[in-house]
Amino acid sequence: MSSNSFGKLFAVTTFGESHGPAIGCVIDGCPPGLPLAEHEFAHDLERRATGRTRHTSQRHEEDRVEILSGVHEGLTTGTPIALLVRNTDARSKDYAEILDRFRPGHADYTYLRKYGHRDPRGGGRSSARETTMRVAAAVVAKKWLAERHGIVVRGYLANLGPLAPRSFDWAAVEENPFFWPDAAMVPELETFMDALRKSGDSVGARVNVEATNAPPGLGEPIYGKLDAELASALMGINAVKGVEIGDGFAAVAQKGTEHRDEMSPEGFLSNHAGGILGGISTGQAIRCSIALKPTSSIRLPGRSVNLAGEAVEVVTKGRHDPCVGIRATPIAEAMVALVLIDHVLRHRAQCGDVAASGPLIPGSVPE
Amino acid sequence: MSSNSFGKLFAVTTFGESHGPAIGCVIDGCPPGLPLAEHEFAHDLERRATGRTRHTSQRHEEDRVEILSGVHEGLTTGTPIALLVRNTDARSKDYAEILDRFRPGHADYTYLRKYGHRDPRGGGRSSARETTMRVAAAVVAKKWLAERHGIVVRGYLANLGPLAPRSFDWAAVEENPFFWPDAAMVPELETFMDALRKSGDSVGARVNVEATNAPPGLGEPIYGKLDAELASALMGINAVKGVEIGDGFAAVAQKGTEHRDEMSPEGFLSNHAGGILGGISTGQAIRCSIALKPTSSIRLPGRSVNLAGEAVEVVTKGRHDPCVGIRATPIAEAMVALVLIDHVLRHRAQCGDVAASGPLIPGSVPE
Amino acid sequence: MSSNSFGKLFAVTTFGESHGPAIGCVIDGCPPGLPLAEHEFAHDLERRATGRTRHTSQRHEEDRVEILSGVHEGLTTGTPIALLVRNTDARSKDYAEILDRFRPGHADYTYLRKYGHRDPRGGGRSSARETTMRVAAAVVAKKWLAERHGIVVRGYLANLGPLAPRSFDWAAVEENPFFWPDAAMVPELETFMDALRKSGDSVGARVNVEATNAPPGLGEPIYGKLDAELASALMGINAVKGVEIGDGFAAVAQKGTEHRDEMSPEGFLSNHAGGILGGISTGQAIRCSIALKPTSSIRLPGRSVNLAGEAVEVVTKGRHDPCVGIRATPIAEAMVALVLIDHVLRHRAQCGDVAASGPLIPGSVPE
Amino acid sequence: MSSNSFGKLFAVTTFGESHGPAIGCVIDGCPPGLPLAEHEFAHDLERRATGRTRHTSQRHEEDRVEILSGVHEGLTTGTPIALLVRNTDARSKDYAEILDRFRPGHADYTYLRKYGHRDPRGGGRSSARETTMRVAAAVVAKKWLAERHGIVVRGYLANLGPLAPRSFDWAAVEENPFFWPDAAMVPELETFMDALRKSGDSVGARVNVEATNAPPGLGEPIYGKLDAELASALMGINAVKGVEIGDGFAAVAQKGTEHRDEMSPEGFLSNHAGGILGGISTGQAIRCSIALKPTSSIRLPGRSVNLAGEAVEVVTKGRHDPCVGIRATPIAEAMVALVLIDHVLRHRAQCGDVAASGPLIPGSVPE
């Protein structure tokens, strides 16, 4: 299996190219009895979609999900749930000019070296278009996690290039197209993005994700640690170059007395670990953070090589995001949700008859 | 499978607790015909071992590897290679005092909640002792990668708490107990560690790993990306809280024109990507970096909870590293090597008959 | 993953219910560069389809395959190949009467006990309709095996209830709707089937499959033996109750001198083993045989239980095959082909650089 | 992973060669909290061992199991359980004469072609010696299945070459070295075996296994059907050439009215299906049967080829079983138990929160 499946027990297999007839996925292992309807996918796909504001790619993806199997009379049956989204606004002519040359920072060169043959239209399989199906699959995961365990996964943009929020409010996040937690800064972000788009360049970003109400005990030592699987899930998102759990790289300069999360009968006294110890959830909020590189598809010319091995210049036309990080928030949430549901199922497979022992330390961190 | 196996085709299953009779591993899928002898494990296990200098734990692990299977007349046969290391210096009495309470920053609490029952001696399965077998398995992987493909994996300590190298020389790295690339700073590090040990506290660290000569084409989109699997492999090392590929978190504030690695017929003109594009190796050096948290086992008392749920104080005695990052260099190298050999095999499974197409861009980066 | 995927490296994930909007599959791991077009699926799907003669179910499945991804400019790209077949002749009203009762010999009861909820229309996921996608996926496998290795997989009906062929000719097999190797007996089979259909009852069958030109070396000891994986693949076909490799159950009464296949420089002197020794192919023809039970969906009333737990009578209407074994020939071939391509890829992953040692004994068996 | 692991959630990885220093296994995924001690392995290993009667190989395997990990204070901890058995009576000199030639019916030729290099001592990895660890791992599985679910797995010899039992009594099975259910026939079997041994030849056998008290709902459609996984598990035992579930090949000639198991509120009225419908257990006894070929290691000379490709004669000395089927009974039980525990865990992973719906039909079959 050439790794187009994700998850061990709640397994999602995706398929499709950016400019092919359709993209889709098959969810195998979903617990039966979950109510599920096609309209439930709209909200998260809308959050991820391009073409919603002038700050993201102007490709207008309609993204209507068709449920092909696995649901009967409105309930999941336990059999594979196939989801299909037809590609509706694929303009392959935009890509004609780059067929014979490799775009810097793209997978053009590596796909060709690996496979000897590639679909160049819109990046083919390496396009962020593929992440649509991660978000769709995670709609199912999020719903089950919320209904059965009260687990909530949510994210926000923590850096837009050099900019950082000056205040934090979860309520603000869904009220602006940037998933930005500081409402007062939104005009500043819009000005920044307008200038960036005009310049033809792009910037990187940071996205933070938090999962609350996950019970203690999720995660499998040694090679299926919850943090290791989150790292894989998040690093596998297009353009991600770094992953942190809890304090992440800040831990390098910390002292042990500073980093270790002390406990009291009332709860953990801090959460530097990001809710995971020894690869297993503690019951605290699970916190992770990712770095996204600046979009490689930019209008400014770059040096490259063509199929004949000659030096050429590349200019990427087409419709691209000047900051891919903006739309990455729902994608990062999706990957976290997919890891969590998989581990809930894995945990109950092995430990479903364990009478948990020892006290339950509340996860709440005084803030 | 409760995730004690690592790798899809070159698969390593490890077992053993810190203070049990033995630790070991089974390597399944090793190509046949590789010369292998027990003495070849000594060098890397010595690099990883405790008790070698006053700056790491004083537990003296002898770590003699016995090959139980899979090698006949000095060559691997293609059948499972079982490696066994008996535990020789396990002083479980050191742990008697912490049996009834959870050490902050440790897996004590999470293992108990997950399994309802745990082996507390020396941290049991969650001990860094387990990483011995990762290093042992990687001795086989490194040898095959070097002999068949000329691939070399090596690492160094890039931060020791607040300290950073002021100059860089690969030759220095193996000449000091810190894997530090700046020989002139070694006395400074020794002074720092002596003071730290005296204070009873600990610090974090950063380790960088580089793999050179990996051919282009390694890595599987979408969920088996080379960077995603490196992230999982590295985040799964005890105490790791962050992983970066190439520029990592620095990419957040970069512009597209700055980050994208341009190409010329003579080679890539930079390596911000860390040798991976679209999840597939470019042929450049693969570069990754990890953050390790400060050791949680420290002498300074911390607040915690006991099995009865009461507030208690914890002091960790035993023999511990004041900076676990120091010994993490060979472990991080090991995980990178294990990921690479797995992907070399995976690549030839699917693409073994592909006539690679397009020019081969040299991986060398002018520095 | 709830086991709707088959294969380790050439992995096929299927989805879809008998009377849902569509069935389909995703092939992950297909080598790139294989020419593939939609029309190539027609032949094998036609061989498997119902409604072609009066001797199989009268449901007329159109079975037009749409390639949704993984093929560009007529060549496989190495990315997932998604195949979709819309369900066109699903008459769910036929099943209304059996909604509240369990059909004897069917999965009605077991699905309901397992999942608590099921799609009863046409058997839902447990319908033989699902095997359409096995055949479709195997079209790709068969083509690659033939083009790259000259491997040919073909099967025939070896028993139709009590009937057995009196002569054998491969050329006859594709010339009659029964895949029967004895052309002279076809009228006898037609008479038998007409009487059976009239009686309302059904019969079992035996199908034999042979793969020629498979090289020696395919198969992985200990738990991925070629014969073990063939057994799983074949037993997993609907209605199969027994699997034999080579002489199969006849070996029980054989002597060692009789069963062991002696060798000479000119080749093996017999093939009792069915081309597999120690779980690994010998280079001889691989031979297997399966037993299919009589169709459970019959018009003759049977005793059963309804959802309320009361005794009831069941009569299955709808359109059913009086002998499911007839259409099982292409399905059994498909499963054998899927196992073989998977093992060709697995073999070259581990042993791709082995210089095979020792003499090559021709596989031909003097007959 | 070169398939030396078995099971998806209760996963057993075995290693070791017949004449290497040791054989062993790692059980990953065992539920925590199961009492387990080294002496518990003795009974089943004794049942499987050679050297117990004159009717099996005279190699005297001591087979003392050492638990290396995964058990603390007498209870499984949920971490990997490693079991080690040192090889004590390996006489490799017996094999010197067959180093340069291929024994007919053995894996000598196929291993060499696959790996280019092999361990010929005692058959190396392909020896039935490996099955020791299957039996050991299944001791854990059987205990858990019995304690948590009351599931009992037991087998018997159903044919010894041409001989078949004339009466049936489970109580007789463990009272004779043949696992034969008809006590009165034991002298006849002894006479048969003595004559066979004297002749230098060998015979095949049939073993039947039954699992009772398995709940309905075990097994995963489509490719992880309970019968498909049993088929793989059983066909993967050395020398097995055929597998049947329920009526097996007898179903070929049956009518639908004869085969289908009707139901009443008091229970199923027959068990032709062997306790599995649609790949899922019905709650009835699960019944399977295997054919074992006659031992290939016989004293009577056979034609073969040597490493130089020349025609030679082979005579197998060493200590061998004239009927490998005799000792296969505990091995077949072991494989069935390993499949069942894996499916119990898989079922509760996906369906652990299903409120089973519909009536529970008793599994008892009036006999």
Side-chain angles (χ1 to χ4, degrees), chain C residues 100-138:
Chain C
D100 80 327
R101 56 197 62 192
F102 308 118
R103 291 169 297 167
H106 272 277
D108 299 345
Y109 174 69
T110 55
Y111 267 64
L112 188 63
R113 291 302 303 178
K114 182 175 189 70
Y115 298 118
H117 172 64
R118 71 185 175 98
D119 177 353
R121 299 165 305 154
R125 182 74 180 143
S126 71
S127 165
R129 179 83 185 125
E130 181 272 341
T131 59
T132 308
M133 299 322 299
R134 308 189 188 202
V135 172

Side-chain angles (χ1 to χ4, degrees), chain B residues 16 32 44 46 53-54 69 74 80 102 124 165 168 182 188 192 200 252 277 283 299 303 305 324 331-332 353-354 362:
Chain B
D44 266 7
E46 178 79 19
T53 78
R54 69 181 186 275
S69 67
F102 307 120
F168 187 89
D182 178 352
E188 189 178 336
F192 178 84
V252 170
L277 286 174
R299 286 197 331 263
R303 287 165 290 174
V305 169
V324 288
I331 304 167
D353 55 356
V354 165

Side-chain angles (χ1 to χ4, degrees), chain C residues 1 3 8 109 113-114 130 134 201 217 220 222-223 225 236 241 243 257 262 273 303 346 358 361, chain D residues 1 3 8 109 113-114 130 134 201 217 220 222-223 225 236 241 243 257 262 273 303 346 358 361:
Chain C
M1 194 177 295
S3 298
K8 193 167 161 180
Y109 174 69
R113 291 302 303 178
K114 182 175 189 70
E130 181 272 341
R134 308 189 188 202
D201 214 333
E220 293 182 344
I222 295 295
Y223 303 112
K225 286 179 177 168
K241 300 306 290 181
V243 178
T257 41
E262 294 178 296
R303 288 164 291 175
R346 284 155 74 165
I361 301 174
Chain D
M1 192 177 293
S3 299
K8 191 166 161 181
Y109 174 69
R113 292 301 305 179
K114 183 175 188 70
E130 182 270 343
R134 307 188 189 203
D201 214 334
E220 291 181 346
I222 295 293
Y223 303 111
K225 285 179 177 167
K241 300 306 290 179
V243 178
T257 41
E262 294 178 297
R303 287 163 292 174
R346 285 155 73 166
I361 302 174

Side-chain angles (χ1 to χ4, degrees), chain A residues 1 3 8 109 113-114 130 134 201 217 220 222-223 225 236 241 245 257 262 273 303 346 361, chain B residues 1 3 8 109 114 130 134 201 217 220 222-223 225 236 241 243 245 257 262 273 303 346 358 361:
Chain A
M1 192 177 294
S3 298
K8 193 167 162 179
Y109 174 69
R113 292 301 304 179
K114 183 174 189 72
E130 181 271 341
R134 309 188 187 202
D201 214 333
E220 292 181 345
I222 295 293
Y223 304 112
K225 286 179 177 167
K241 301 304 291 180
I245 304 293
T257 41
E262 294 179 294
R303 287 164 290 174
R346 285 153 75 165
I361 301 174
Chain B
M1 192 177 292
S3 299
K8 192 166 160 181
Y109 174 69
K114 182 175 190 70
E130 181 271 342
R134 308 188 188 201
D201 214 332
E220 292 181 345
I222 296 294
Y223 303 111
K225 285 179 177 168
K241 301 303 290 181
V243 178
I245 304 293
T257 42
E262 294 178 296
R303 287 165 290 174
R346 285 155 73 166
I361 301 175

Side-chain angles (χ1 to χ4, degrees), chain D residues 19 39 41 54 81 92 116 131 146 268 352:
Chain D
H19 289 216
H39 68 82
F41 296 92
R54 68 180 186 277
I81 302 170
S92 297
T131 59
F268 285 90

Side-chain angles (χ1 to χ4, degrees), chain A residues 294-309:
Chain A
T295 319
S296 300
S297 304
I298 51 181
R299 286 196 334 260
L300 303 177
R303 287 164 290 174
S304 187
V305 169
N306 67 11
L307 288 179

Side-chain angles (χ1 to χ4, degrees), chain D residues 32-45:
Chain D
L34 181 74
L36 191 67
E38 291 182 351
H39 68 82
E40 298 183 74
F41 296 92
H43 178 67
D44 266 6
L45 291 191

